[in-house]
Amino acid sequence: MIQFHHVTKRYPGGFEALSNVSLHLPKGEMAFLTGHSGAGKSTLLKIVSLIEKPTRGQAILNRINLGTLPRKRVPYIRRHIGFIFQDHQLLFDRPVFDNVAMPLIILGYPRNEIARRTRAALDKVGLLSKEKAMPITLSGGEQQRVGIARAVVHKPMLLLADEPTGNLDPVLSREIMQIFLDFHQVGVTVLVASHDLGLIEELGKPVITLNQGKVIHDDFGGLDDG
Amino acid sequence: MTDRHQPPRPGLLQRLSAWLGHHARSMVFSLGKLYRAPASTLMTVAVIAITLTLPAGFYLFMKNIENISGDLRSTTRISLFLKLDVGEQAAAGLRDRLQRQQGVADVRLISRDEALEEFRASSGLGDSLDYLKENPLPHTLLVEPASELDSPAIRQLLKRLQQQPEVDTAQLDTEWLERLYTLLDIARRAVIIISLLFSFAVLLIVGNTIRLDIQSRYQEIVVTKLIGATDAFIRRPFLYSGVWYGLFGGLLAWIIVELSAMAIAGPYQKLGQLYRSDLSLVTFSMGDFMILIGASTALGLIGSWLAVARHLSEIEPQ
Ligand SMILES: Nc1ncnc2c1ncn2[C@@H]1O[C@H](COP(=O)(O)OP(=O)(O)OP(=O)(O)O)[C@@H](O)[C@H]1O
Ligand SMILES: [Mg+2]
C-alpha cells in the first residue's frame, strides 16, 4: 500500500527530516512508527497524506506517485485516507454528528445514507449517545474518539494516526489502540506513529523505527529493491 | 485509488443530487451565517448599499432631468416671421403646406392683426399704438416639430423652413436647451464613471469581508482540505456569502433611493405645478431595478471570487 524509495525530505530551512528512507507497508497490514522526538515520524505521515512532498526519491501510495501528483487530484487521493491527529482537529462550532459526517458530505452521499453511516461510525467508537453534543463538552478521550469516527466514517482503505494517544492516560490509550486493531481486523491498512513503546510492545504489531530521519528498524524487512 | 480499487463513492446520480444539495446547503448555510452575526452583516450590507446609493441616486437624478428636458423639447417651437408682402391668403396656404410636411407636428397661424392685438395687450402701450399708420408686424407661423425629432433633426427642419420663399426669418429660441443637452451628456458620462468607481469600491468591500471570513475559518478550511474537499467545495459557501452581500446591499440601496425619492416627490410636484406642468418624479423602472440588483449581486460574487482565489490557496494543511 505504502512504498518509499529512497525518500529524502529537506524542509525549506535546510533541515533534513528524512534521509534516504525506503520502506514498504503491505496492504491490510498494521504497523507502528516509532522514534525519538524529531526523528521524522510526522514528516513521513505528512508525505503519505500529501501535506508535504518528498525532496528526493519516490513515495508511492497504491501505485500513485505522490511526489508528482497534480494539485487538482490531491483531494481525491485524500478521500481514501483517514487521518487522525494528536489534537484531533475537531470543529468546535458544530455538534459531534456534523463533525463526523463531514467526509460523507464531501463525497456526496445522500442525507439518509449520511445519517446511517455517521451513526454507525459513532457506534463503533462508543459515542452514539453523544451525537448532539458539542465537542467542547467532551473529555479528551471522547474528542479523540470523535476524531477517529470522522477518519473512518467513509471507510478509507488507509488509516494514518499521528500520536493519537499522546494526550491520554494509559487506560484511554489502550482503548483507542483497540479501535485501531478492530479496523485492522476488517482489512483496513493502519499506520500509527507513537511514542508509547510499552503499549506498542504489548500489542505485538510490526514496528518501523526512525532515528534522525533514517530507518533503523523495520519488521517488514524494508523494501527489497536495494 | 487506482482503477483496480473501487473508490468509496456513491453513484453518479446520487453525487449529482448531492452536488445540487451542497449548492443549496452552501446557500442556506452562508445565509444562516450572516443571520447569526446580524451586527457585522448589517454593517457590511449598509456600506455596500450606501456605496451603491450614490450612482443609483445620480442615475435617477439624470433620468428626471431628462424627463423634464423631454417635456421642454415638446414645447420647442419654431417661429416663422413671413415677409411683409405676404398676404393672409398666402400665409394660410403655407400653413397648410407645412402641416403636411414630415417632421412637423402642428402649425398655427398668427395673423398680423392678432399679433398686434396681443402686442397691445402685453406691452401696455394700448391706444398709443393707434397712431401707427400701418401694422408693422408680419404674419407669423408657429411650427411645432414632431416630438421624435432630436436637436440635429430640428436644426435641419429649421433650415428647410428658412428656405421657404415666403419666410423672412425662422427662429428657434432654444439655444439654452442645446446647452442643457450638452450638460446632460456630460452628466451621463459622469454617471458611468461614478458607477464604475463605486462598483470597484463594492468589490473591495465584499473582497475584504470575505477575506476576513476566510481567515476566521482557517482551521475549518484546513480540516476539510485534509479530508479530501476540493477547492470548489470549499469555495462555495464563501461565494454564496458574497452573493448574499451583493443582493442585500443592492436591495437596501434601492430602498434608500426610493425613500429619498419619496421625500423629494412632494416639493418636486409643487415645482411642476408652478410651471403649469403635471410633472411627477420618475423612479426606478422594473428594468432599472433588475439592473441594480443584478449588478450588485454580480459584484458580490466577483468580489468574493477575487478574495477566495487569492486567499484560499494560501491555506494548506501543515
Ligand atoms: N515545516 C517544517 N519546517 C522546518 N522544519 C521542520 C518542519 N516540520 C518539521 N521540521 C523538523 O523536522 C524534524 C522532524 O520533525 P517531525 O515532526 O517529523 O518529527 P517527529 O518524529 O514527528 O517528532 P515528534 O515525536 O516530536 O512529533 C524536526 O527536527 C523538526 O524540527
Ligand atoms: Mg510528530
Side-chain angles (χ1 to χ4, degrees):
Chain A
M1 166 117 345
I2 301 172
Q3 282 174 297
F4 274 44
H5 297 268
H6 310 289
V7 169
T8 294
K9 173 65 193 179
R10 186 175 284 124
Y11 280 112
F15 186 85
E16 200 163 284
L18 293 179
S19 315
N20 199 22
V21 168
S22 293
L23 55 82
H24 180 204
L25 177 67
K27 187 168 164 38
E29 291 287 347
M30 172 166 181
F32 286 102
L33 187 62
T34 65
H36 62 89
S37 178
K41 304 183 293 294
S42 298
T43 303
L44 194 149
L45 293 181
K46 280 177 189 173
I47 287 174
V48 178
S49 51
L50 290 149
I51 298 171
E52 297 285 355
K53 290 201 167 194
T55 315
R56 270 202 308 278
Q58 288 188 315
I60 292 174
L61 178 65
N62 239 334
R63 290 165 190 277
I64 290 167
N65 187 339
L66 300 177
T68 57
L69 194 73
R71 204 186 114 83
K72 271 181 83 85
R73 284 191 58 203
V74 167
Y76 301 99
I77 303 303
R78 282 189 181 143
R79 292 174 186 187
H80 300 270
I81 306 171
F83 202 92
I84 293 140
F85 312 85
Q86 179 174 352
D87 56 350
H88 48 71
Q89 297 269 4
L90 299 181
L91 299 181
F92 286 94
D93 61 350
R94 61 199 75 185
V96 167
F97 183 95
D98 293 17
N99 267 280
V100 175
M102 282 172 66
L104 299 175
I105 293 172
I106 289 170
L107 283 166
Y109 277 94
R111 195 179 274 275
N112 53 346
E113 230 1 48
I114 289 176
R116 193 180 66 75
R117 287 172 188 250
T118 302
R119 299 219 167 86
L122 280 172
D123 194 25
K124 201 162 286 171
V125 299
L127 285 177
L128 193 49
S129 60
K130 301 271 188 182
E131 68 170 85
K132 292 200 179 67
M134 293 305 271
I136 198 78
T137 65
L138 302 180
S139 73
E142 285 171 333
Q143 289 179 352
Q144 192 55 277
R145 269 145 58 197
V146 174
I148 294 173
R150 185 182 65 193
V152 301
V153 70
H154 57 302
K155 299 207 162 63
M157 50 182 60
L158 175 64
L159 214 49
L160 300 177
D162 195 355
E163 298 186 34
T165 62
N167 297 331
L168 305 178
D169 66 41
V171 179
L172 277 174
S173 298
R174 203 161 283 124
E175 263 181 48
I176 298 289
M177 289 301 187
Q178 188 56 51
I179 296 173
F180 290 132
L181 289 174
D182 293 345
F183 281 109
H184 173 233
Q185 280 292 304
V186 297
V188 181
T189 310
V190 184
L191 182 59
V192 181
S194 176
H195 272 134
D196 199 341
L197 294 175
L199 186 55
I200 291 171
E201 202 169 336
E202 193 181 310
L203 296 173
K205 290 290 170 192
V207 175
I208 299 168
T209 308
L210 289 176
N211 187 306
Q212 304 201 343
K214 294 190 176 63
V215 180
I216 57 164
H217 173 88
D218 185 351
D219 280 331
F220 295 104
L223 198 73
D224 44 350
D225 67 351
Chain B
M1 49 194 79
T2 65
D3 304 336
R4 301 184 310 140
H5 295 273
Q6 266 311 309
R9 300 209 74 180
L12 184 66
L13 211 65
Q14 287 186 331
R15 253 152 49 211
L16 181 69
S17 94
W19 180 79
L20 291 173
H22 187 250
H23 266 283
R25 209 177 318 195
S26 306
M27 218 159 100
V28 175
F29 172 78
S30 52
L31 191 60
K33 214 173 60 197
L34 300 188
Y35 177 77
R36 281 191 298 278
S40 70
T41 301
L42 215 65
M43 214 130 87
T44 306
V45 169
V47 172
I48 294 169
I50 292 167
T51 309
L52 288 173
T53 299
L54 197 76
F58 197 22
Y59 167 77
L60 206 57
F61 177 72
M62 277 287 314
K63 237 183 122 167
N64 278 285
I65 301 282
E66 271 173 12
N67 188 34
I68 298 174
S69 65
D71 230 45
L72 292 172
R73 167 173 294 154
S74 69
T75 63
T76 301
R77 275 204 209 118
I78 297 172
S79 304
L80 299 180
F81 302 105
L82 304 184
K83 291 180 177 145
L84 278 170
D85 57 7
V86 174
E88 185 146 8
Q89 282 272 310
L94 178 61
R95 178 194 61 196
D96 295 341
R97 212 149 28 85
L98 292 181
Q99 194 98 61
R100 285 191 298 273
Q101 277 205 11
Q102 254 199 342
V104 174
D106 193 30
V107 186
R108 196 155 73 83
L109 171 64
I110 298 172
S111 69
R112 56 203 312 177
D113 297 337
E114 281 168 349
L116 188 63
E117 277 313 305
E118 219 166 271
F119 184 62
R120 197 195 296 274
S122 64
S123 65
L125 293 178
D127 295 344
S128 55
L129 286 175
D130 290 341
Y131 295 105
L132 288 172
K133 273 201 231 97
E134 239 176 284
N135 183 350
L137 297 173
H139 294 301
T140 309
L141 291 180
L142 295 180
V143 178
E144 190 185 313
S147 59
E148 68 265 14
L149 293 193
D150 56 7
S151 7
I154 290 178
R155 288 210 166 280
Q156 286 250 293
L157 179 65
L158 180 70
K159 223 163 154 193
R160 247 188 312 136
L161 295 173
Q162 178 81 74
Q163 281 158 6
Q164 302 292 326
E166 297 92 336
V167 173
D168 183 54
T169 349
Q171 189 177 307
L172 179 69
D173 186 26
T174 49
E175 281 298 308
W176 67 275
L177 205 58
E178 288 300 305
R179 277 186 216 125
L180 178 65
Y181 286 134
T182 315
L183 280 175
L184 271 180
D185 203 36
I186 292 170
R188 221 171 281 138
R189 275 159 213 230
V191 168
I192 293 173
I193 292 169
I194 287 178
S195 301
L196 287 179
L197 272 177
F198 281 73
S199 298
F200 189 63
V202 171
L203 282 188
L204 294 182
I205 295 164
V206 174
N208 196 47
T209 307
I210 299 294
R211 180 181 65 84
L212 293 174
D213 195 21
I214 290 173
Q215 274 168 7
S216 73
R217 308 174 82 80
Y218 184 90
Q219 201 219 359
E220 179 182 346
I221 293 168
V222 167
V223 171
T224 41
K225 277 197 176 182
L226 262 180
I227 56 183
T230 56
D231 287 350
F233 182 95
I234 296 171
R235 245 192 325 255
R236 223 163 276 152
F238 293 108
L239 296 184
Y240 274 111
S241 295
V243 166
W244 290 127
Y245 281 132
L247 178 64
F248 292 141
L251 281 173
L252 186 58
W254 175 71
I255 291 170
I256 293 173
V257 173
E258 288 285 309
L259 286 179
S260 312
M262 264 160 77
I264 296 171
Y268 186 87
Q269 218 154 14
K270 213 174 210 166
L271 183 75
Q273 278 159 12
L274 289 179
Y275 285 93
R276 295 211 193 83
S277 146
D278 52 352
L279 214 52
S280 68
L281 198 65
V282 180
T283 57
F284 282 122
S285 67
M286 194 62 191
D288 293 334
F289 174 76
M290 299 293 254
I291 289 171
L292 173 63
I293 300 300
S296 67
T297 308
L299 286 172
L301 178 62
I302 296 167
S304 59
W305 190 283
L306 291 176
V308 163
R310 232 177 91 73
H311 300 288
L312 219 49
S313 59
E314 284 170 4
I315 301 179
E316 281 296 338
Q318 290 177 1

